[in-house]
Every structure is written in structure tokens, then in C-alpha cells.
Amino acid sequence: MAKILVIEDDLTFALILEGFLKKQGFEVNVAHRVKDGIKLLGSQQYQLVLMDYRLPDGIGFEILEFIRNLPAPIPGIMMTSFQDVGTAVRAMRLGAFDYITKPVNPDELLMVIKEVLPSEEEAGRAKLAGSSLFIAGHSYASKQLHEFIQLVAPTDMSVIVQGESGTGKEYVARTIHQQSKRTEAPFVAVDCGAISGEIANSELFGHVKGAFTGATHDKQGLFETAHGGTIFLDEVGNLTYEIQVKLLRALQERIIQPLGSNKQINVDVRVITATNDDLVNSVKNGDFREDLYHRLNEFKIKVPSLRDREADLEEFVTHFIDLANQELNRNVQAFSPEMMAILRDYHWPGNLRELKNVVKRAVLLSPGEIAGPETLPEEMVNAVNEVPKTEGPDLKALQEANERELIYKTLQEVKYNKSKAARLLNIDRKTLYLKLAKYNLEN
């Protein structure tokens, strides 16, 4: 059973938490200060760290920094009061797996822990489901996508993967890597939208001890980690000008320089980048270096939206039903004609990821072999009924207005707990953050 370290200065709460986790079968150690927690992390092996944000001798960020620099990084979950939620969200961007607000709900805590520490059987299923967004399809758009992947994969060309959120850009990148001559070397994925400019330098290129406040150890950058393989930079347009300069040098000279070091390190890395938007506009606006863009854009692949793959919808639905049946131990054989009609009329702003979540929800709610419209999210059915079936000049605006209102109401219901909101909306946290920024709903 997994071993969990709890770092919490409230002695009563720590005792309750320890007892609860032990009843669930976990092995638990408890520390009450940052320094004590770090000492335990340096001397014993843990699979998860539960940490309070405010501790007597420091804050949870210090623990996150330490576990991120371990040879085998450990997932961390931040526990925080409601007024610290903004800080907790920033902690997630620094590498925390999730956060939960106090007072802690035992069922919610256990659900989050199971997400990060699944059983071996669940882990196998998760791996299967995680790699399953990217499936063949028989539409013209799908066939062209696969032809491009097969064409560019054996080369060492840099690739830009462009597409809407949820279309499977990372899976395209992974497939390119798997079909390349670098397949035996590492594939390292980096979410550039989730790391701030201050820490991106350290994350990508590493740092030496003492390079900045809190740099207590040398840290290997992700470029060095990916040596011989592929590095995937998702949402590359979010990188600052300074990092763009260093990225350009890494591409041109195959050299990186850790922060605070005079040492230069040779790296052999293929770079695949992804973006929701066309970087050409960012270049025109002066937000992205033109020379870097041309260096990255040796080959561009546009991943089609689900709306452009309507001919594949039934194939995708069947595939996701099979996965959900395996994961949930159900026996759903098909969706009713009425339900399929709704799926065909829906706009699918979340693309394949949203479809996968909708199918999984329907399978869970279906007692029999045929799932009907009653298993669909109410807001989805309402959107189909309210939106005209023919495309008009205001269709996109109407869809976005409905989506914004749904996200806003959900945030209010969960008191701005974004982790809960993402689960209720059937989207991942990264997608939620992007939509909060898009609709100016960040608090």
C-alpha cells in the first residue's frame, strides 16, 4: 500500500487525518514543520505528500520545490483555507497535483488521492484511456492527419501541432515520437501555459544551487532530461521573450545553459510544439519572435476539431463506450437514436476530450444496454435545443455566452473551488483555467 507523508501543524487535524488514511489502508507519517517534512522526504520513500500551505517555519511552496528536485518527483496535494485558494492554484502551476480546501471533506480527499494513487488495475485502465483520445477515424480530415504524422515522424523536423483545446494535440505529438527513430528515448511533455516566466527558465534549462532564493539543489532542466528524445512544448506561445531567446539558441546550437551556471550542456532533442492559436498572429503582434517561429515551423499539422470530423462521431462514441465499460464495469452496447441525434447537433467546444467525458458519464448513468438522452448533461441538451441548427453569424457568440454562464454558475455553486468545478463540468483543470482567462472569470 502507498506511503503518504502528511505535513500539517494543526495537531488535532493531523491526528484525525492520520487515522482516516490508515483506515483506508495507507501507511502514514506526519510532520508539523517544513524542515521536519523535508528531513523525512530526504530519508524515506513516499508516494504522496499532503501539505498545509501555511506552516510555522515556512509555506508549502518550499516543500513543492524540494519534491520537484528529487530524483523521482513525488506528487503533492495542497490543503488550504478558502481565502488561500488563489495561492493554491498557483501551487498547482508549480507542480502540485491538486488542492483541497479546509475543512477537508473525507470523501473528496479520498477521491483526489485515488486519482493520483490508483491501484495497479486502475493505472492500467487509466493508461489505456489516456492514450485513447487519438484514434484513427475514416473521414477525410482524419486520414489526412494520419498521413501527415506518418510522413513527418521518421524525420527530425521540428513540428507545430495546431488545434483547439481537447482535439488531442499531445497525442499527436506522442504518436510522432513513437513512430520516430527516437522512440526508445524520453518523451517529455511541458505545459508552457502552467509555468510562469519566473520558473520557466529553471524548468526548461535547469539551475544550479544558489542561483536564486530557494534553489537549495542543482536541478536538471527538462531539455537535458529529454536528451536523445523528444520535448513537447504545449501552448508555446505563452513563453516569455527571454525564454524564447534561450529556446532559439537550444534549437540552433543544440546547447543549453542552466540558470546561474557558466557551464554549457550539449543536448540532442527534437522539439514539437502545440498551440490553440495561429502563432503567425503572435508574430505580427510582436509577442513571439519571428526567427523562432520559422525554426519551430519546419512542418505544421492542424488537428481537426470534432465538428470537422462529423463522419467519425459514431466511431469515436463506440470507442469511448468500450473504454468506459471496462473502467466502470458496465455493459452499455449503444446509444439510442435520439441520443445520437443530440450528439450530432451539439457544437462540441471541448472536442474529443469533452466527448469522452460525456460518453463516460452516460455509461455510468445507464442501467441497461442502451443509453438514452436522460444520461446527458442538462446544459448540453439545452444548448442543442436553444441553438439554431443552421450556422449563422452569431452562432459562435451564442455558444460562448452559454458556456460562460454555465462556468460562472458552477463556480458559484462550489464557492470557486476550481478543482470541483472542473470535475462538475467534465473538463480537466487546464481547460478550465484557459476558459476562465478567456471569459475573464478569474478571481
Side-chain angles (χ1 to χ4, degrees):
M1 181 55 71
K3 189 173 182 180
I4 299 175
L5 174 61
V6 176
I7 307 177
E8 167 63 61
D9 65 320
D10 184 326
L11 301 183
T12 301
F13 176 59
L15 189 63
I16 293 173
L17 198 57
E18 181 182 13
F20 171 74
L21 292 173
K22 285 183 175 179
K23 283 184 179 179
Q24 303 303 317
F26 297 106
E27 184 179 348
V28 184
N29 287 151
V30 178
H32 305 297
R33 295 175 178 270
V34 170
K35 65 177 183 180
D36 297 330
I38 288 177
K39 184 177 180 180
L40 285 171
L41 286 166
S43 61
Q44 300 187 43
Q45 290 187 340
Y46 297 92
Q47 283 71 54
L48 175 65
V49 182
L50 288 172
M51 70 199 83
D52 193 8
Y53 170 61
R54 299 181 185 276
L55 292 160
D57 59 337
I59 57 176
F61 287 166
E62 298 174 54
I63 301 163
L64 279 177
E65 179 66 26
F66 182 84
I67 63 179
R68 282 159 63 91
N69 285 315
L70 291 172
I74 306 168
I77 296 175
M78 185 77 75
M79 300 181 294
T80 181
S81 59
F82 179 72
Q83 59 265 30
D84 287 326
V85 164
T87 302
V89 171
R90 289 195 295 273
M92 288 178 63
R93 291 172 178 163
L94 286 173
F97 176 81
D98 207 337
Y99 73 91
I100 53 177
T101 53
K102 294 181 178 180
V104 173
N105 180 297
D107 292 333
E108 179 189 358
L109 173 61
L110 193 58
M111 179 176 65
V112 174
I113 290 176
K114 285 183 176 180
E115 285 183 24
V116 70
L117 294 177
S119 66
E120 290 184 10
E121 180 181 4
E122 290 171 334
R125 289 174 177 170
K127 184 177 181 182
L128 176 64
S131 62
S132 61
L133 275 185
F134 191 61
I135 54 181
H138 59 272
S139 66
Y140 172 78
S142 295
K143 289 180 179 178
Q144 186 180 59
L145 174 63
H146 283 269
E147 287 174 3
F148 285 163
I149 290 172
Q150 292 170 4
L151 183 67
V152 77
T155 76
D156 247 349
M157 297 172 72
S158 297
V159 181
I160 293 180
V161 183
Q162 184 180 328
E164 296 177 9
S165 178
T167 51
K169 295 187 292 295
E170 181 171 343
Y171 302 104
V172 171
R174 286 185 182 275
T175 304
I176 292 172
H177 173 73
Q178 290 164 2
Q179 295 184 12
S180 75
K181 60 187 178 183
R182 297 174 178 267
T183 184
E184 299 299 325
F187 176 89
V188 176
V190 185
D191 184 356
C192 299
I195 53 177
S196 65
E198 296 79 22
I199 64 171
N201 199 334
S202 169
E203 285 297 303
L204 294 175
F205 308 112
H207 68 248
V208 297
K209 180 179 179 181
F212 52 86
T213 303
T216 56
H217 305 79
D218 288 353
K219 177 181 175 64
Q220 184 182 74
L222 294 175
F223 262 81
E224 190 175 356
T225 301
H227 180 70
T230 303
I231 190 164
F232 172 61
L233 303 177
D234 195 8
E235 295 309 319
V236 68
N238 289 296
L239 294 177
T240 64
Y241 185 87
E242 177 192 2
I243 302 302
Q244 290 178 36
V245 172
K246 298 193 73 170
L247 177 57
L248 180 61
R249 186 187 182 198
L251 286 167
Q252 289 179 333
E253 303 177 20
R254 304 290 179 179
I255 289 173
I256 62 169
Q257 186 170 331
L259 189 63
S261 172
N262 294 322
K263 179 184 177 183
Q264 294 183 341
I265 301 172
N266 293 321
V267 290
D268 172 24
V269 176
R270 182 186 195 174
V271 177
I272 301 177
T273 55
T275 177
N276 288 337
D277 304 311
D278 194 338
L279 284 176
V280 171
N281 294 324
S282 298
V283 171
K284 289 180 179 177
N285 296 332
D287 298 323
F288 201 83
R289 289 180 61 103
E290 184 173 5
D291 49 3
L292 176 58
Y293 170 74
H294 290 303
R295 193 75 185 186
L296 295 172
N297 190 32
E298 291 182 332
F299 193 88
K300 181 180 288 185
I301 293 179
K302 291 189 177 182
V303 186
S305 67
L306 185 53
R307 298 181 300 282
D308 295 329
R309 306 171 76 176
E310 186 177 345
D312 298 324
L313 181 64
E314 190 169 341
E315 181 179 346
F316 292 149
V317 168
T318 300
H319 179 71
F320 290 142
I321 287 175
D322 291 342
L323 289 176
N325 279 334
Q326 290 180 21
E327 185 174 350
L328 302 173
N329 196 27
R330 290 290 199 271
N331 189 36
V332 173
Q333 298 300 308
F335 288 173
S336 71
E338 296 81 7
M339 185 166 177
M340 287 302 301
I342 294 174
L343 298 186
R344 290 189 185 95
D345 288 337
Y346 185 58
H347 191 62
W348 295 111
N351 291 290
L352 282 175
R353 185 185 296 118
E354 183 181 11
L355 174 63
K356 178 175 179 287
N357 290 335
V358 167
V359 170
K360 184 176 178 180
R361 180 184 192 272
V363 169
L364 178 65
L365 295 176
S366 298
E369 294 185 352
I370 305 297
E374 68 278 0
T375 64
L376 292 173
E378 182 180 354
E379 64 274 7
M380 181 179 173
V381 178
N382 291 340
V384 169
N385 292 334
E386 293 172 5
V387 175
K389 299 297 186 296
T390 56
E391 292 282 341
D394 296 326
L395 179 58
K396 183 177 180 181
L398 183 57
Q399 287 282 357
E400 290 183 348
N402 289 339
E403 184 176 67
R404 186 186 190 281
E405 181 67 16
L406 173 62
I407 293 174
Y408 177 68
K409 288 182 177 179
T410 303
L411 286 170
Q412 287 186 314
E413 288 176 7
V414 300
K415 297 181 180 179
Y416 281 82
N417 184 324
K418 296 184 179 68
S419 184
K420 287 184 180 179
R423 285 192 284 268
L424 289 175
L425 291 165
N426 286 322
I427 58 177
D428 58 24
R429 292 183 299 276
K430 174 189 167 186
T431 300
L432 178 60
Y433 293 142
L434 292 172
K435 291 184 183 296
L436 292 179
K438 176 180 179 180
Y439 298 130
N440 197 26
L441 289 173
E442 293 181 302
N443 66 328

